[in-house]
Amino acid sequence: MLIREATEEDWPAMWAFMRGIVEAGDTYSYDRDLTEEACRELWLVPEPGRAFVAVDEDGKVLGTSKVARNQGGGGAHVANGSYMVDPAHHGRGAGRALGAHSLEWARSAGFRAMQFNAVVSTNTRAVALWQALGFEIIATLPGGFEHPEQGFVDLHIMYQRL
C-alpha cells in the first residue's frame, strides 16, 4: 500500500465511496445531502493542509485522509485529521496506515498536536484505532451527535501530543 498526496485526478475515485459515507450520516458531522463540490472543498484543503490517498499496488484508491490546522491564529499549531476508507476495502489496514501517515506528516510539518473534534462514539472501530495510535479521549459531549438509527449518541474529542 502506498500513501501519497491526493490529486484532482483522484477525486472521482474518492467521491465514489465518500458519497455513501456522507449520505449514511452515521460517522461524520456533515450534512447528509452535501454536494460533491462542497465535499471537495472541505476535503482537498489548501496549504498548509494536505489531502492524501492510500492506494493498492494497482493504483486503486482504498481510502483518504486530510490534515489541516484545527484552528487559526494561536491554535494553528494543532492539526486536525479526517479519514474515510472505502467500505469495500475495510480490514486491509488503510485506516491505520492513513492515521500513522498523518501523524508523521503533521510532526514533520511542525504541528505540536493533533485533535479530532467529532469522533462518534458508536464508531467503535475508529475509536479503537485512534486509541491504538496513541490518541486519548479528552472530552465527551453527551448526545452530541444525532445518529440516523441510534438517536442521540455521544461525540468524543480525541487528542494526541506530537
Side-chain angles (χ1 to χ4, degrees), residues 21-22 25-31 43 81-84 118 120 145:
I21 294 168
V22 170
D26 58 356
T27 57
Y28 265 84
S29 296
Y30 288 168
D31 291 331
W43 205 264
S82 297
Y83 311 84
M84 290 192 198
V120 180
F145 184 83

